[in-house]
Amino acid sequence: MSLSDSNARCEAYEVLNGAGQGGAIILCEHASHRIPHRYAGLGLAEADRKSHAAWDPGARAVALGLSQALDAPLIAARVSRLVYDCNRPPEAASAMPQKSELVEVPGNVGLSRDQRDERELTVYRPFCDAVTRLIEARKQAGLQTVLITMHSFTPVYYGTPRTVEIGILHDRDSRMADAMLDQADALPHRRVERNAPYGPEDGVTHSLQLHGIRHGLANVMIEVRNDLMRTPQEETQMAEELLVLLRPALAALQSTGGADA
């Protein structure tokens, strides 16, 4: 499979607009709730297999809207994060969680080393390798690149409502997050916060570290509360709102040569 193709697909991931020439690439690690047949549904009830525990509702649709608007390649996972969370390293317990918030995951209990290795090799490694190939191809083509990862979060967590609506997350490289937060006043009807509802201390910045910081790319993780993206119309509206933050931020970094380290 060549990432120069506009669209490409395998079991672990899909590439959309792979030949995009815009100044960013977009990742959506929790884009799908699909559980391959060989995992027998992980022993989950049907409702749990399609709940936010298994994926990030709305994230793929919004990521695709951003990809189209920014002419940015999008790499989206095609396997549920309960099989393997592509935003976690293999050594993390949360890479193949036995429990996600209140949802028990029977199929992840007592995994052998071979079972863990199989998931790493068939889900995580192909996804990461695809991202690396895309980054390297863009560097060879002389394209500036900012890494954007797109996520959503549940409005109630362990019974506690969350008031933040859009989270702008970063690890030790805050260039893109700072530039986006500088535009937050342009969305006065939204509660936009830094490193909320999660932050680096929660282990959620693996992709930013691995695919952004390691390659010297400015990077940011966007979290949107999923009750704001329940319909196609709301997904389109959210993509448009995020572009209000993204477009000037990308322009600011590119004008100073700050997209790449």
Side-chain angles (χ1 to χ4, degrees):
M1 179 185 300
S2 171
L3 290 180
S4 63
D5 296 338
S6 179
N7 298 290
R9 198 179 194 198
C10 73
E11 182 187 63
Y13 64 88
E14 60 181 336
V15 180
L16 299 162
N17 193 20
Q21 300 291 294
I25 63 173
I26 301 170
L27 307 184
C28 192
E29 302 99 315
H30 305 156
S32 176
H33 55 67
R34 187 177 70 89
I35 299 174
H37 181 72
R38 64 185 178 276
Y39 302 118
L42 296 177
L44 294 165
E46 179 70 13
D48 291 336
R49 289 201 298 270
K50 295 182 179 179
S51 73
H52 72 270
W55 70 317
D56 282 359
R60 182 187 180 279
V62 172
L64 183 56
L66 298 179
S67 169
Q68 294 167 342
L70 299 173
D71 191 26
L74 165 63
I75 299 182
R78 296 190 60 239
V79 176
S80 169
R81 65 179 173 189
L82 295 181
V83 174
Y84 191 104
D85 186 335
C86 287
N87 191 32
R88 299 292 190 277
E91 64 272 15
S94 54
M96 293 162 262
Q98 296 184 25
K99 185 176 182 180
S100 178
E101 193 185 358
L102 303 177
V103 176
E104 303 281 351
V105 188
N108 286 351
V109 176
L111 292 176
S112 68
R113 181 72 265 168
D114 286 347
Q115 289 173 315
R116 296 182 68 87
D117 287 348
E118 186 272 339
R119 297 192 193 184
E120 177 185 344
L121 292 174
T122 61
V123 180
Y124 175 71
R125 294 298 172 190
F127 180 90
C128 290
D129 290 347
V131 178
T132 297
R133 289 196 300 273
L134 178 58
I135 291 171
E136 291 177 347
R138 289 176 61 88
K139 284 187 175 182
Q140 291 174 6
L143 296 172
Q144 283 195 326
T145 301
V146 170
L147 179 78
I148 300 167
T149 72
M150 185 68 220
H151 295 258
S152 72
F153 63 94
T154 178
V156 178
Y157 190 64
Y158 283 105
T160 301
R162 288 158 154 174
T163 56
V164 60
E165 295 177 306
I166 299 174
I168 307 298
L169 282 61
H170 62 83
D171 201 275
R172 63 182 181 273
D173 178 359
S174 67
R175 289 175 291 168
M176 186 61 180
D178 292 342
M180 291 180 67
L181 288 164
D182 284 345
Q183 306 298 320
D185 288 347
L187 296 177
H189 59 297
R190 293 296 183 206
R191 183 160 181 168
V192 183
E193 296 185 11
R194 182 189 299 269
N195 282 337
Y198 312 105
E201 67 279 3
D202 300 304
V204 301
T205 57
H206 175 63
S207 287
L208 300 186
Q209 296 173 17
L210 181 65
H211 304 302
I213 293 171
R214 185 168 69 92
H215 290 281
L217 306 180
N219 56 86
V220 68
M221 178 177 176
I222 301 173
E223 286 271 9
V224 176
R225 211 173 64 200
N226 67 31
D227 61 326
L228 304 176
M229 304 182 295
R230 288 178 172 167
T231 68
Q233 293 77 17
E234 289 177 345
E235 292 165 346
T236 297
Q237 177 64 29
M238 183 52 65
E240 291 173 353
E241 292 187 14
L242 293 177
L243 287 167
V244 171
L245 307 180
L246 283 166
R247 282 191 167 122
L250 288 168
L253 263 65
Q254 290 165 355
S255 68
T256 61
D260 301 328

